[in-house]
Structure formats: structure tokens, C-alpha cells
Coordinates of all heavy atoms in Angstrom, one line a residue:
M125 N 0.8 -1.2 0.0 CA 0.0 0.0 0.0 C 0.9 1.3 0.0 O 1.9 1.3 0.7 CB -0.9 0.0 1.2 CG -1.9 1.1 1.3 SD -3.0 0.9 2.6 CE -3.4 2.6 2.9
L126 N 0.5 2.2 -0.8 CA 1.2 3.5 -0.9 C 0.9 4.4 0.3 O -0.2 4.4 0.8 CB 0.9 4.2 -2.2 CG 1.2 3.4 -3.5 CD1 0.7 4.1 -4.7 CD2 2.7 3.2 -3.6
A127 N 1.9 5.1 0.7 CA 1.7 6.1 1.8 C 0.8 7.2 1.3 O 0.9 7.6 0.1 CB 3.0 6.7 2.3
N128 N -0.1 7.7 2.1 CA -0.9 8.8 1.7 C -0.1 10.1 1.7 O 0.7 10.4 2.6 CB -2.1 9.0 2.7 CG -3.3 9.6 2.0 OD1 -3.3 10.0 0.9 ND2 -4.4 9.6 2.7
I129 N -0.3 10.9 0.7 CA 0.5 12.2 0.5 C -0.5 13.3 0.7 O -1.4 13.4 -0.2 CB 1.2 12.2 -0.8 CG1 2.1 11.0 -0.9 CG2 2.0 13.5 -1.0 CD1 2.6 10.7 -2.3
Y130 N -0.4 14.1 1.7 CA -1.3 15.2 2.0 C -1.0 16.5 1.3 O 0.2 16.8 1.0 CB -1.4 15.4 3.5 CG -2.0 14.2 4.2 CD1 -1.3 13.2 4.7 CD2 -3.4 14.2 4.3 CE1 -1.9 12.1 5.3 CE2 -4.0 13.1 4.9 CZ -3.2 12.1 5.4 OH -3.8 11.0 6.0
F131 N -2.0 17.2 0.9 CA -1.8 18.6 0.3 C -1.5 19.5 1.5 O -2.0 19.4 2.6 CB -3.1 19.1 -0.3 CG -3.6 18.2 -1.5 CD1 -4.9 17.8 -1.6 CD2 -2.7 17.8 -2.5 CE1 -5.3 17.1 -2.7 CE2 -3.1 17.1 -3.6 CZ -4.4 16.7 -3.7
S132 N -0.6 20.5 1.2 CA -0.4 21.5 2.2 C -1.6 22.4 2.4 O -1.8 22.9 3.5 CB 0.8 22.4 1.8 OG 0.6 23.0 0.5
V133 N -2.4 22.6 1.4 CA -3.7 23.3 1.5 C -4.8 22.4 0.9 O -4.8 22.2 -0.3 CB -3.6 24.6 0.7 CG1 -5.0 25.4 0.7 CG2 -2.5 25.5 1.2
P134 N -5.6 21.8 1.8 CA -6.7 21.0 1.3 C -7.7 21.7 0.4 O -7.7 23.0 0.4 CB -7.4 20.5 2.6 CG -6.3 20.8 3.7 CD -5.5 21.9 3.2
L135 N -8.5 21.0 -0.3 CA -9.4 21.6 -1.2 C -10.9 21.2 -0.8 O -11.1 20.1 -0.2 CB -9.2 21.0 -2.6 CG -7.9 21.3 -3.2 CD1 -7.6 20.5 -4.5 CD2 -7.8 22.8 -3.5
Q136 N -11.8 22.1 -1.1 CA -13.2 21.8 -0.9 C -13.9 22.0 -2.2 O -13.8 23.1 -2.8 CB -13.8 22.7 0.2 CG -15.3 22.4 0.4 CD -15.8 23.3 1.5 OE1 -15.3 24.3 1.9 NE2 -16.9 22.8 2.1
V137 N -14.6 21.0 -2.7 CA -15.3 21.0 -4.0 C -16.8 21.1 -3.7 O -17.3 20.4 -2.8 CB -15.0 19.8 -4.8 CG1 -15.7 19.8 -6.1 CG2 -13.5 19.7 -5.1
S138 N -17.5 22.0 -4.4 CA -18.9 22.1 -4.3 C -19.6 21.5 -5.5 O -19.2 21.7 -6.6 CB -19.3 23.6 -4.3 OG -18.7 24.2 -3.2
F139 N -20.7 20.7 -5.2 CA -21.4 20.0 -6.3 C -22.7 20.7 -6.5 O -23.2 21.5 -5.6 CB -21.6 18.6 -5.8 CG -20.3 17.8 -5.7 CD1 -19.7 17.8 -4.5 CD2 -19.7 17.2 -6.8 CE1 -18.5 17.1 -4.3 CE2 -18.5 16.6 -6.6 CZ -17.9 16.5 -5.4
P140 N -23.3 20.5 -7.7 CA -24.6 21.2 -8.1 C -25.7 21.0 -7.1 O -26.6 21.8 -6.9 CB -24.9 20.6 -9.4 CG -23.6 20.2 -10.0 CD -22.8 19.7 -8.8
N141 N -25.7 19.8 -6.4 CA -26.8 19.6 -5.4 C -26.6 20.2 -4.1 O -27.4 20.0 -3.1 CB -27.0 18.1 -5.3 CG -25.8 17.4 -4.7 OD1 -24.8 18.0 -4.3 ND2 -25.8 16.1 -4.5
G142 N -25.5 21.0 -4.0 CA -25.3 21.8 -2.7 C -24.3 21.1 -1.8 O -23.9 21.6 -0.8
V143 N -24.0 19.8 -2.0 CA -23.1 19.1 -1.2 C -21.6 19.6 -1.5 O -21.3 19.9 -2.6 CB -23.2 17.6 -1.5 CG1 -22.1 16.8 -0.8 CG2 -24.5 17.1 -1.2
T144 N -20.8 19.6 -0.4 CA -19.4 20.0 -0.5 C -18.6 18.8 0.0 O -19.1 18.0 0.8 CB -19.0 21.2 0.3 OG1 -19.3 21.0 1.6 CG2 -19.7 22.4 -0.3
R145 N -17.4 18.6 -0.6 CA -16.6 17.5 -0.2 C -15.1 18.1 0.0 O -14.7 18.8 -0.9 CB -16.6 16.4 -1.2 CG -15.8 15.2 -0.8 CD -16.1 14.1 -1.7 NE -15.1 13.0 -1.5 CZ -15.1 11.9 -2.1 NH1 -16.0 11.6 -3.1 NH2 -14.2 11.0 -1.9
S146 N -14.4 17.6 1.0 CA -13.1 18.0 1.2 C -12.1 17.0 0.7 O -12.4 15.8 0.8 CB -12.8 18.2 2.7 OG -13.6 19.2 3.2
F147 N -11.0 17.4 0.1 CA -9.9 16.6 -0.4 C -8.7 17.0 0.3 O -8.2 18.1 0.0 CB -9.8 16.7 -1.9 CG -11.1 16.2 -2.6 CD1 -12.1 17.0 -2.9 CD2 -11.1 14.9 -3.1 CE1 -13.3 16.6 -3.5 CE2 -12.3 14.4 -3.7 CZ -13.4 15.2 -3.9
E148 N -8.1 16.1 1.1 CA -6.9 16.5 1.8 C -5.7 15.8 1.3 O -4.6 16.1 1.8 CB -7.1 16.1 3.3 CG -8.3 17.0 3.9 CD -8.4 16.9 5.4 OE1 -7.4 16.4 6.0 OE2 -9.4 17.4 5.9
S149 N -5.8 14.8 0.4 CA -4.6 14.1 0.0 C -4.7 13.7 -1.5 O -5.8 13.7 -2.1 CB -4.5 12.8 0.9 OG -5.5 11.9 0.5
V150 N -3.6 13.2 -2.0 CA -3.6 12.7 -3.4 C -4.4 11.5 -3.5 O -5.2 11.3 -4.5 CB -2.1 12.4 -3.8 CG1 -2.1 11.8 -5.2 CG2 -1.3 13.7 -3.8
H151 N -4.4 10.6 -2.5 CA -5.2 9.4 -2.6 C -6.7 9.8 -2.7 O -7.5 9.1 -3.4 CB -5.0 8.5 -1.3 CG -5.7 7.3 -1.4 ND1 -7.0 7.1 -0.9 CD2 -5.4 6.1 -2.0 CE1 -7.4 5.9 -1.1 NE2 -6.4 5.2 -1.7
D152 N -7.2 10.8 -1.9 CA -8.6 11.2 -2.0 C -8.9 11.6 -3.4 O -10.0 11.3 -3.9 CB -8.8 12.5 -1.1 CG -8.7 12.2 0.4 OD1 -8.7 11.0 0.8 OD2 -8.6 13.2 1.1
T153 N -8.0 12.3 -4.1 CA -8.4 12.8 -5.5 C -8.3 11.7 -6.4 O -9.2 11.6 -7.3 CB -7.4 13.9 -5.9 OG1 -6.1 13.4 -5.9 CG2 -7.5 15.1 -5.0
V154 N -7.4 10.7 -6.3 CA -7.3 9.6 -7.2 C -8.6 8.8 -7.1 O -9.2 8.4 -8.1 CB -6.1 8.7 -7.0 CG1 -6.1 7.4 -7.8 CG2 -4.8 9.5 -7.4
D155 N -9.0 8.5 -5.9 CA -10.2 7.7 -5.6 C -11.4 8.3 -6.2 O -12.2 7.7 -6.9 CB -10.4 7.5 -4.1 CG -11.6 6.6 -3.8 OD1 -11.6 5.5 -4.3 OD2 -12.5 7.1 -3.1
F156 N -11.5 9.6 -6.0 CA -12.7 10.4 -6.6 C -12.6 10.4 -8.1 O -13.6 10.1 -8.8 CB -12.7 11.8 -6.0 CG -13.8 12.6 -6.5 CD1 -15.1 12.3 -6.0 CD2 -13.6 13.7 -7.4 CE1 -16.2 13.1 -6.5 CE2 -14.7 14.4 -7.8 CZ -16.0 14.1 -7.3
L157 N -11.5 10.7 -8.7 CA -11.4 10.7 -10.1 C -11.7 9.4 -10.8 O -12.3 9.3 -11.8 CB -9.9 11.2 -10.6 CG -9.6 12.7 -10.3 CD1 -8.1 12.9 -10.4 CD2 -10.4 13.5 -11.3
E158 N -11.2 8.3 -10.2 CA -11.4 7.0 -10.8 C -12.8 6.4 -10.5 O -13.2 5.5 -11.2 CB -10.3 6.0 -10.3 CG -9.0 6.4 -10.8 CD -7.8 5.5 -10.4 OE1 -8.1 4.7 -9.5 OE2 -6.8 5.6 -11.0
N159 N -13.4 6.8 -9.4 CA -14.7 6.1 -9.0 C -15.9 6.9 -9.0 O -17.0 6.4 -9.0 CB -14.5 5.4 -7.6 CG -13.4 4.4 -7.7 OD1 -13.4 3.5 -8.5 ND2 -12.4 4.5 -6.8
E160 N -15.8 8.3 -8.8 CA -17.0 9.1 -8.6 C -17.0 10.3 -9.5 O -18.0 11.1 -9.4 CB -17.0 9.6 -7.2 CG -17.0 8.5 -6.1 CD -17.0 9.0 -4.7 OE1 -17.9 9.9 -4.4 OE2 -16.1 8.7 -4.0
W161 N -16.1 10.5 -10.4 CA -16.0 11.7 -11.2 C -17.2 11.8 -12.1 O -17.6 10.8 -12.8 CB -14.7 11.7 -12.1 CG -14.5 13.0 -12.7 CD1 -14.6 13.2 -14.1 CD2 -14.1 14.2 -12.2 NE1 -14.3 14.5 -14.4 CE2 -14.0 15.2 -13.2 CE3 -13.8 14.6 -10.9 CZ2 -13.6 16.5 -13.0 CZ3 -13.4 15.9 -10.6 CH2 -13.3 16.8 -11.7
P162 N -17.9 13.0 -12.2 CA -19.1 13.1 -12.9 C -18.9 13.0 -14.5 O -19.8 12.6 -15.2 CB -19.7 14.4 -12.5 CG -18.5 15.2 -11.9 CD -17.6 14.2 -11.4
L163 N -17.8 13.5 -15.0 CA -17.5 13.5 -16.4 C -16.3 12.7 -16.7 O -15.2 13.1 -16.3 CB -17.3 14.9 -16.9 CG -18.4 15.9 -16.6 CD1 -17.9 17.3 -17.0 CD2 -19.6 15.6 -17.5
R164 N -16.4 11.5 -17.3 CA -15.2 10.7 -17.6 C -14.5 11.0 -18.9 O -14.1 10.2 -19.6 CB -15.7 9.2 -17.6 CG -16.3 8.8 -16.3 CD -15.4 7.8 -15.6 NE -16.1 7.4 -14.4 CZ -15.5 7.3 -13.2 NH1 -14.2 7.5 -13.1 NH2 -16.2 7.0 -12.2
H165 N -14.5 12.3 -19.2 CA -13.8 12.7 -20.4 C -13.3 14.2 -20.1 O -13.6 14.7 -19.1 CB -14.8 12.7 -21.6 CG -16.0 13.5 -21.4 ND1 -16.0 14.9 -21.5 CD2 -17.3 13.2 -21.1 CE1 -17.3 15.3 -21.3 NE2 -18.0 14.3 -21.0
G166 N -12.6 14.7 -21.1 CA -12.1 16.0 -20.9 C -10.6 16.0 -20.8 O -10.0 15.1 -20.1
E167 N -9.9 16.9 -21.4 CA -8.5 17.0 -21.4 C -8.0 17.2 -19.9 O -7.0 16.5 -19.5 CB -8.0 18.1 -22.2 CG -6.5 18.3 -22.3 CD -6.1 19.5 -23.2 OE1 -6.8 19.7 -24.2 OE2 -5.2 20.1 -22.8
R168 N -8.6 18.0 -19.2 CA -8.1 18.3 -17.8 C -8.4 17.2 -16.9 O -7.7 16.9 -15.9 CB -8.7 19.6 -17.3 CG -8.2 20.8 -18.1 CD -8.7 22.1 -17.6 NE -8.1 23.2 -18.4 CZ -8.6 24.3 -18.7 NH1 -9.8 24.6 -18.2 NH2 -8.0 25.2 -19.4
Y169 N -9.5 16.4 -17.1 CA -9.8 15.2 -16.3 C -8.7 14.2 -16.5 O -8.2 13.7 -15.5 CB -11.2 14.6 -16.7 CG -11.3 13.2 -16.2 CD1 -11.5 12.9 -14.9 CD2 -11.1 12.1 -17.1 CE1 -11.6 11.5 -14.5 CE2 -11.2 10.8 -16.7 CZ -11.4 10.5 -15.4 OH -11.5 9.2 -15.0
K170 N -8.3 13.9 -17.7 CA -7.3 12.9 -18.0 C -6.0 13.4 -17.5 O -5.2 12.6 -16.9 CB -7.2 12.7 -19.5 CG -8.4 12.1 -20.1 CD -8.3 12.0 -21.6 CE -9.7 11.5 -22.2 NZ -9.8 11.6 -23.6
R171 N -5.6 14.7 -17.6 CA -4.4 15.1 -17.0 C -4.4 15.0 -15.5 O -3.4 14.6 -14.9 CB -4.1 16.6 -17.4 CG -2.8 17.1 -16.9 CD -2.6 18.6 -17.5 NE -1.2 19.0 -17.2 CZ -0.8 19.5 -16.1 NH1 -1.7 19.8 -15.1 NH2 0.4 19.9 -15.9
A172 N -5.5 15.4 -14.8 CA -5.6 15.3 -13.4 C -5.4 13.8 -12.9 O -4.7 13.5 -12.0 CB -6.9 15.8 -12.9
R173 N -6.1 12.9 -13.6 CA -6.0 11.5 -13.3 C -4.6 11.0 -13.4 O -4.1 10.4 -12.5 CB -7.0 10.7 -14.2 CG -7.0 9.2 -13.9 CD -7.7 8.5 -15.0 NE -6.9 8.7 -16.2 CZ -7.4 8.6 -17.5 NH1 -8.7 8.4 -17.7 NH2 -6.6 8.8 -18.5
D174 N -3.9 11.3 -14.5 CA -2.6 10.9 -14.7 C -1.6 11.5 -13.7 O -0.7 10.8 -13.2 CB -2.1 11.2 -16.1 CG -2.9 10.4 -17.2 OD1 -3.6 9.4 -16.8 OD2 -2.8 10.8 -18.4
K175 N -1.7 12.8 -13.5 CA -0.8 13.5 -12.5 C -1.0 13.0 -11.1 O -0.1 12.9 -10.4 CB -1.0 15.0 -12.6 CG -0.5 15.6 -14.0 CD 0.9 15.4 -14.2 CE 1.4 16.0 -15.5 NZ 2.8 15.7 -15.8
C176 N -2.3 12.8 -10.7 CA -2.5 12.4 -9.3 C -2.0 10.9 -9.1 O -1.4 10.6 -8.1 CB -4.0 12.5 -9.0 SG -4.6 14.2 -8.8
R177 N -2.2 10.1 -10.1 CA -1.6 8.7 -10.0 C -0.1 8.8 -9.9 O 0.5 8.1 -9.1 CB -2.0 7.9 -11.3 CG -3.4 7.4 -11.3 CD -3.6 6.6 -12.6 NE -5.0 6.2 -12.8 CZ -5.5 5.8 -13.9 NH1 -4.8 5.8 -15.0 NH2 -6.8 5.4 -14.0
A178 N 0.5 9.6 -10.8 CA 2.0 9.7 -10.7 C 2.4 10.3 -9.4 O 3.5 9.9 -8.9 CB 2.4 10.6 -11.9
A179 N 1.7 11.2 -8.8 CA 2.1 11.8 -7.5 C 2.1 10.7 -6.4 O 2.9 10.7 -5.5 CB 1.2 12.9 -7.1
L180 N 1.1 9.7 -6.5 CA 1.1 8.6 -5.5 C 2.4 7.9 -5.5 O 2.8 7.4 -4.5 CB -0.1 7.7 -5.8 CG -1.4 8.1 -5.4 CD1 -2.4 7.0 -5.8 CD2 -1.5 8.3 -3.9
Y181 N 3.0 7.8 -6.7 CA 4.3 7.0 -6.8 C 5.5 8.0 -6.8 O 6.6 7.6 -7.1 CB 4.3 6.2 -8.1 CG 3.3 5.1 -8.1 CD1 2.0 5.2 -8.6 CD2 3.7 3.9 -7.5 CE1 1.1 4.2 -8.5 CE2 2.8 2.8 -7.5 CZ 1.5 3.0 -8.0 OH 0.6 2.0 -7.9
R182 N 5.2 9.2 -6.4 CA 6.3 10.3 -6.2 C 7.0 10.5 -7.5 O 8.2 10.8 -7.5 CB 7.2 9.9 -5.1 CG 6.5 9.7 -3.8 CD 7.5 9.4 -2.6 NE 6.8 9.1 -1.4 CZ 6.2 9.9 -0.6 NH1 6.3 11.2 -0.7 NH2 5.6 9.4 0.5
M183 N 6.3 10.4 -8.6 CA 6.8 10.7 -10.0 C 6.4 12.1 -10.5 O 6.9 12.5 -11.5 CB 6.4 9.6 -10.9 CG 6.9 8.2 -10.6 SD 6.2 6.9 -11.6 CE 6.9 7.3 -13.2
T184 N 5.5 12.7 -9.8 CA 5.1 14.1 -10.1 C 4.9 14.8 -8.7 O 4.5 14.2 -7.8 CB 3.7 14.1 -10.8 OG1 3.8 13.4 -12.0 CG2 3.1 15.4 -11.0
P185 N 5.4 16.1 -8.7 CA 5.2 16.8 -7.4 C 3.7 16.9 -7.0 O 2.8 17.1 -7.9 CB 5.8 18.2 -7.8 CG 6.7 18.0 -8.9 CD 6.1 16.9 -9.7
V186 N 3.5 16.9 -5.7 CA 2.1 17.0 -5.2 C 1.4 18.2 -5.7 O 0.2 18.2 -6.0 CB 2.1 16.9 -3.7 CG1 0.7 17.1 -3.1 CG2 2.7 15.5 -3.2
A187 N 2.1 19.4 -5.7 CA 1.6 20.6 -6.1 C 1.0 20.6 -7.5 O 0.0 21.2 -7.8 CB 2.6 21.8 -5.9
I188 N 1.7 19.9 -8.4 CA 1.3 19.8 -9.8 C 0.0 18.9 -9.9 O -0.9 19.3 -10.6 CB 2.4 19.1 -10.7 CG1 3.7 20.0 -10.7 CG2 1.9 18.8 -12.1 CD1 3.5 21.4 -11.3
A189 N 0.0 17.8 -9.1 CA -1.2 17.0 -9.1 C -2.4 17.8 -8.6 O -3.5 17.7 -9.1 CB -0.9 15.8 -8.2
R190 N -2.2 18.6 -7.5 CA -3.3 19.4 -6.9 C -3.8 20.4 -7.9 O -5.0 20.5 -8.1 CB -2.8 20.0 -5.7 CG -3.8 20.8 -4.9 CD -3.2 21.5 -3.7 NE -4.1 22.3 -3.0 CZ -4.5 23.6 -3.3 NH1 -4.0 24.1 -4.3 NH2 -5.3 24.2 -2.5
E191 N -2.9 21.1 -8.6 CA -3.3 22.0 -9.6 C -4.1 21.4 -10.8 O -5.0 21.9 -11.3 CB -2.0 22.8 -10.2 CG -1.4 23.7 -9.2 CD -0.1 24.3 -9.8 OE1 0.1 24.2 -11.0 OE2 0.6 24.9 -9.0
A192 N -3.6 20.2 -11.2 CA -4.3 19.5 -12.2 C -5.8 19.1 -11.8 O -6.7 19.2 -12.5 CB -3.6 18.2 -12.6
F193 N -5.9 18.7 -10.5 CA -7.2 18.4 -10.0 C -8.1 19.6 -9.9 O -9.3 19.5 -10.3 CB -7.1 17.7 -8.6 CG -8.4 17.3 -8.0 CD1 -9.1 16.2 -8.5 CD2 -8.9 18.0 -6.9 CE1 -10.3 15.9 -7.9 CE2 -10.1 17.7 -6.3 CZ -10.8 16.6 -6.8
V194 N -7.6 20.7 -9.5 CA -8.4 22.0 -9.5 C -8.8 22.3 -10.9 O -10.0 22.6 -11.1 CB -7.5 23.1 -8.9 CG1 -8.2 24.5 -9.1 CG2 -7.3 22.9 -7.4
A195 N -7.9 22.2 -11.9 CA -8.3 22.5 -13.3 C -9.4 21.6 -13.8 O -10.3 22.0 -14.5 CB -7.0 22.4 -14.2
A196 N -9.3 20.3 -13.4 CA -10.4 19.3 -13.8 C -11.7 19.7 -13.2 O -12.7 19.6 -13.8 CB -10.0 17.9 -13.4
C197 N -11.7 20.1 -11.9 CA -12.9 20.5 -11.3 C -13.5 21.7 -12.0 O -14.7 21.7 -12.2 CB -12.6 20.9 -9.8 SG -12.3 19.5 -8.7
L198 N -12.7 22.7 -12.3 CA -13.2 23.9 -13.0 C -13.8 23.5 -14.4 O -14.8 24.0 -14.8 CB -12.1 24.9 -13.1 CG -11.7 25.5 -11.7 CD1 -10.5 26.5 -11.9 CD2 -12.8 26.1 -10.9
E199 N -13.1 22.6 -15.1 CA -13.5 22.2 -16.4 C -14.9 21.5 -16.3 O -15.8 21.7 -17.2 CB -12.5 21.2 -17.0 CG -12.9 20.6 -18.3 CD -12.0 19.6 -18.8 OE1 -11.7 18.5 -18.2 OE2 -11.4 19.8 -19.9
A200 N -15.1 20.8 -15.2 CA -16.4 20.1 -15.0 C -17.5 21.0 -14.3 O -18.6 20.6 -14.1 CB -16.2 18.9 -14.1
G201 N -17.2 22.3 -14.1 CA -18.1 23.2 -13.5 C -18.3 23.0 -12.0 O -19.4 23.4 -11.5
L202 N -17.3 22.5 -11.4 CA -17.4 22.3 -9.9 C -16.5 23.3 -9.2 O -15.3 23.2 -9.3 CB -16.9 20.9 -9.6 CG -17.6 19.7 -10.2 CD1 -16.9 18.4 -9.9 CD2 -19.0 19.6 -9.8
P203 N -17.1 24.3 -8.5 CA -16.3 25.3 -7.8 C -15.4 24.6 -6.8 O -15.8 23.6 -6.1 CB -17.4 26.2 -7.2 CG -18.6 25.9 -7.9 CD -18.6 24.5 -8.4
V204 N -14.2 25.1 -6.7 CA -13.3 24.6 -5.7 C -12.6 25.7 -5.0 O -12.4 26.8 -5.6 CB -12.3 23.6 -6.5 CG1 -11.5 24.4 -7.5 CG2 -11.3 23.0 -5.5
Q205 N -12.3 25.5 -3.7 CA -11.6 26.5 -3.0 C -10.6 25.8 -2.0 O -10.8 24.6 -1.6 CB -12.5 27.4 -2.2 CG -13.3 26.7 -1.1 CD -14.3 27.6 -0.4 OE1 -14.3 28.8 -0.7 NE2 -15.0 27.1 0.5
G206 N -9.5 26.5 -1.6 CA -8.6 26.0 -0.7 C -9.1 26.1 0.7 O -9.9 27.1 1.0
L207 N -8.8 25.2 1.6 CA -9.2 25.2 3.0 C -7.9 25.4 3.8 O -6.8 24.9 3.5 CB -9.8 23.9 3.4 CG -11.2 23.6 2.8 CD1 -11.6 22.2 3.1 CD2 -12.2 24.6 3.3
P208 N -8.1 25.9 5.0 CA -6.9 25.9 5.9 C -6.6 24.5 6.3 O -7.5 23.6 6.3 CB -7.4 26.7 7.1 CG -8.8 27.1 6.9 CD -9.2 26.6 5.6
P209 N -5.4 24.2 6.7 CA -5.1 22.9 7.2 C -6.0 22.4 8.3 O -6.5 23.3 9.0 CB -3.6 23.0 7.7 CG -3.1 24.2 7.0 CD -4.3 25.1 6.8
A210 N -6.1 21.1 8.5 CA -7.1 20.6 9.5 C -6.9 21.1 10.9 O -7.8 21.4 11.6 CB -7.0 19.1 9.5
W211 N -5.6 21.3 11.3 CA -5.4 21.8 12.7 C -5.8 23.3 12.8 O -6.1 23.7 13.9 CB -3.9 21.7 13.1 CG -2.9 22.3 12.1 CD1 -2.4 21.8 11.0 CD2 -2.3 23.6 12.3 NE1 -1.5 22.7 10.4 CE2 -1.4 23.8 11.2 CE3 -2.4 24.6 13.3 CZ2 -0.7 24.9 11.1 CZ3 -1.7 25.7 13.1 CH2 -0.8 25.9 12.0
H212 N -6.0 24.0 11.7 CA -6.6 25.4 11.8 C -8.1 25.3 11.8 O -8.8 26.2 12.3 CB -6.2 26.2 10.5 CG -4.9 26.8 10.6 ND1 -4.7 28.1 11.1 CD2 -3.6 26.3 10.3 CE1 -3.4 28.3 11.1 NE2 -2.7 27.3 10.6
R213 N -8.7 24.2 11.3 CA -10.2 24.1 11.2 C -10.8 23.5 12.5 O -12.0 23.3 12.5 CB -10.6 23.3 10.0 CG -10.3 24.0 8.7 CD -10.7 23.1 7.5 NE -9.6 22.2 7.2 CZ -9.7 21.0 6.8 NH1 -10.9 20.5 6.6 NH2 -8.7 20.3 6.5
S214 N -10.0 23.1 13.4 CA -10.6 22.4 14.6 C -11.3 23.3 15.6 O -11.8 22.9 16.5 CB -9.5 21.6 15.3 OG -8.5 22.5 15.8
G215 N -11.4 24.6 15.2 CA -12.1 25.5 16.1 C -11.2 26.4 16.9 O -10.0 26.2 16.9
P216 N -11.7 27.4 17.4 CA -10.9 28.4 18.2 C -10.3 27.7 19.4 O -11.0 26.9 20.1 CB -11.8 29.5 18.5 CG -13.2 29.0 18.4 CD -13.1 27.8 17.4
S217 N -9.1 28.0 19.7 CA -8.5 27.5 20.9 C -7.7 28.7 21.5 O -7.2 29.5 20.8 CB -7.7 26.3 20.7 OG -6.6 26.6 19.8
S218 N -7.6 28.7 22.8 CA -6.8 29.7 23.4 C -5.8 29.0 24.3 O -6.0 27.9 24.8 CB -7.7 30.6 24.2 OG -8.4 29.9 25.2
P219 N -4.6 29.6 24.4 CA -3.6 29.0 25.3 C -4.1 28.9 26.7 O -4.9 29.7 27.2 CB -2.4 29.9 25.1 CG -2.9 31.2 24.5 CD -4.2 30.9 23.9
P220 N -3.6 27.9 27.4 CA -4.0 27.8 28.8 C -3.5 29.0 29.6 O -2.5 29.6 29.3 CB -3.3 26.5 29.3 CG -2.3 26.1 28.3 CD -2.7 26.9 27.0
R221 N -4.3 29.4 30.6 CA -4.0 30.6 31.4 C -3.0 30.2 32.5 O -3.2 29.2 33.1 CB -5.2 31.2 32.0 CG -6.1 31.8 30.9 CD -7.2 32.6 31.6 NE -8.0 33.2 30.5 CZ -8.9 34.1 30.8 NH1 -9.2 34.5 32.0 NH2 -9.6 34.7 29.8
M222 N -2.1 31.1 32.7 CA -1.1 30.8 33.8 C -1.6 31.6 35.0 O -2.0 32.7 34.9 CB 0.2 31.4 33.4 CG 0.8 30.7 32.1 SD 1.0 29.0 32.2 CE 2.7 29.0 32.7
S223 N -1.6 30.9 36.1 CA -2.1 31.6 37.3 C -0.9 32.4 37.9 O 0.2 31.9 37.9 CB -2.7 30.6 38.3 OG -1.7 29.6 38.6
A224 N -1.1 33.5 38.5 CA -0.1 34.3 39.0 C 0.2 34.0 40.5 O -0.5 33.5 41.2 CB -0.4 35.8 38.9

């Protein structure tokens, strides 16, 4: 099994039915492209599929695979945006107070 390779900036994709989905790793995108992609054609879809597969084997930089996935989403009419890393999304936290 290949190690999961995470994006430095995760992605959130919006679907026409109002559902949103987060993609945090190359494996997430490959699985989606190969099993759930709404349009199984298009130049950007094919490039994203190939670049994301290559990134799993460390033959393409993760940033290139991520950019290809974003381009495929836009080609398919799926709005996409970057998300803060998971540790930023866990909610507000404040440092523990020190007693005097």
C-alpha cells in the first residue's frame, strides 16, 4: 500500500446539489477521479487522473497533481476552494492561562 500524501492546502469542492466535499490528499483525489467523477472525459480530467496517479508514486510533485485536480474541477463546472489545514479548522482555541 502506498503512503498517503497530503496537500499543504486541502481543497473543498462544491457540487450542483449543494453538497461539498473536502480533499486532503492525493489518494482522496485519485479515488474520486477513478470512482466518482461526474464526467469521464475532458483533457483536464485525463491530465488530473494521470498527474494524481503519478504523485502517488512520487513521480510528479504533489503541487502539480493538486493544480491538475483543481483544473479538472473547474472544467467540470465544480467550484473549488482551498481550505486551511485541519489543525486550523478544529475550532478556536486559546492557550492555557497561567495563574499568578
Side-chain angles (χ1 to χ4, degrees):
M125 184 172 154
L126 299 171
N128 209 353
I129 302 167
Y130 291 91
F131 298 132
S132 58
V133 178
L135 298 168
Q136 183 175 21
V137 177
S138 300
F139 297 93
N141 64 1
V143 172
T144 60
R145 181 167 171 185
S146 297
F147 294 88
E148 298 193 9
S149 70
V150 174
H151 185 270
D152 292 345
T153 61
V154 169
D155 183 56
F156 183 70
L157 288 164
E158 292 182 348
N159 299 307
E160 301 177 56
W161 190 253
L163 303 170
R164 300 251 180 220
H165 57 79
E167 183 180 322
R168 292 182 180 149
Y169 161 74
K170 291 174 187 167
R171 183 174 189 275
R173 184 193 60 207
D174 294 346
K175 294 295 180 186
C176 289
R177 282 180 185 163
L180 279 178
Y181 291 94
R182 301 183 191 278
M183 297 172 65
T184 295
V186 175
I188 299 297
R190 183 182 180 278
E191 288 175 15
F193 181 71
V194 169
C197 289
L198 297 176
E199 178 182 61
L202 302 174
V204 60
Q205 63 181 0
L207 291 173
W211 57 276
H212 277 267
R213 289 181 275 144
S214 61
S217 62
S218 55
R221 292 187 176 192
M222 304 296 266
S223 56

